[in-house]
Amino acid sequence: MSPSRAYILFSAALGLMFMVTTATYVPFLTSIGLTLSQVSMVNGWFWVAIILFEVPTGMWADARSRAWSLRIGFLIFALGNAIYFLAENVWWALAAEVVNGLAFTFLSGIQQAWIVDALKLHNRENEKGQTFANAAIVKGLLAAPAAIFGSWIGSTFGLRWPWIASAFFALVGLFVVTRYMNGDGEVLAHEKVSEKEALKRSVNALRNSSALRWAVAVGMVSGLVVAFNHYWPKYFEQFVATSQLGLIWSPLYLALFIAGMIIRKAKIASGAEAKAVMIALVVAGVGLALIGQVPGLGLVLVMGVVHEVGRGAFRPLLDSYTNHHVTSEYRSTFGSLQSLMEEIGAAIVLFSLAFYMSGREDTPANIADVWLASGGLLVILAIVLYFLRPKERP
């Protein structure tokens, strides 16, 4: 199987693992007694776990094996989702989030490094932007049925059962990595360096490259979008029943398919994605700011789609841009270092949300205020970064 197809299968399994609990995540947590403030708090610890383990796992992947790292990530995700299935209170949820945060670090930055170097080995490196776009398209197509399936499981068998489905898809991901993601995406033997050297080269690259510093800053700013992740089910419950949240998520996440198609059609040269990255971030911010400000379910969904189109385009564009400016021997380590900075940004946002919502009612009006502030700040910072972007050198 070609590296591109293997990566798309990997992305599909990863997407299904996350998306099957998308509509039931917050309802489940509130059903075991958590407030929205506590939802933000426990998810903040998910990001804390990532911050602690992100860079070491990237270093191990470069010095040892990226495929091994991806297998371990899926195994730990299966464990974390099983803990969530058993969860009864905030402490169980906190434990599950920390385990899943650790699992995430074995995947983030490493999956992109694997596909870029696998393509490079087959002299198809110029296809990385298209491969990232195709993966986004597939995830977008699978999002709707996954969310609907998860909602059906939750409404039929109970809100904790989608976690079993998520654990199953984690095992599917494990099979894909074991069967199809072979040594093609590893650092070549003559290019391998130690964990310490990979970290040293990553830090030096960040210090010496304005493009990479800009990419890291952009990633940190993108953390503002997490305000939508946890509050949308509670907000949409004013329009539909919990069992129908999967149907609401369908048009929202189909926007990922639209974003992937736009990127694939645009055929942006590798290394020249900076302008497109910033446009995507502004679009995401505008949509986020306006979701809670428009009347009626129809317009709310339109703004939600706008937000998700921006988010869907942002990630593959930034991944392609970043990987254009790093080399193989420390690609996973730098990807993890970049993810670490992004996750610090997300953790700051989540703990800020937890602080803001503490003592406030979980009402649509308060959620709308959070979205307006987060989206507006995202637009402002994206515009500032647009004018600070480095000169593009495809």
Side-chain angles (χ1 to χ4, degrees), residues 14 17-18 45-62 65-66 68-74 76-77 97-112 332-333 335-337 339-340 343:
L14 185 63
M17 183 187 74
F18 282 119
W45 283 102
F46 169 83
W47 296 106
V48 169
I50 292 174
I51 290 168
L52 292 175
F53 297 108
E54 183 72 77
V55 174
T57 53
M59 293 163 61
W60 293 335
D62 275 332
S65 170
R66 292 168 180 169
W68 170 84
S69 178
L70 298 177
R71 291 195 296 270
I72 293 297
F74 276 123
I76 300 177
F77 261 124
E97 292 285 347
V98 170
V99 171
N100 281 347
L102 172 62
F104 189 86
T105 65
F106 282 94
L107 303 178
S108 65
I110 297 165
Q111 54 182 296
Q112 294 89 347
S332 291
T333 304
S336 292
L337 182 63
S339 295
L340 169 64
E343 288 138 11

Side-chain angles (χ1 to χ4, degrees), residues 328-389:
S328 177
E329 70 274 13
Y330 63 91
R331 196 183 303 279
S332 291
T333 304
F334 186 86
S336 292
L337 182 63
Q338 180 181 24
S339 295
L340 169 64
M341 301 308 295
E342 293 180 15
E343 288 138 11
I344 289 174
I348 291 171
V349 172
L350 284 167
F351 284 116
S352 298
L353 292 177
F355 175 79
Y356 177 81
M357 292 298 290
S358 180
R360 287 182 168 83
E361 295 184 10
D362 302 336
T363 63
N366 284 332
I367 294 172
D369 288 342
V370 167
W371 287 347
L372 179 62
S374 300
L377 183 58
L378 181 59
V379 171
I380 292 169
L381 293 176
I383 291 173
V384 171
L385 285 169
Y386 175 82
F387 289 106
L388 295 177
R389 73 190 187 280

Side-chain angles (χ1 to χ4, degrees), residues 228 235-236 286-294 299-300 303-304 307 371:
F228 183 69
Y235 187 82
F236 279 99
V286 169
L288 179 59
L290 296 180
I291 293 171
Q293 308 303 314
V294 294
L299 287 176
V300 169
M303 290 301 104
H307 172 66
W371 287 347

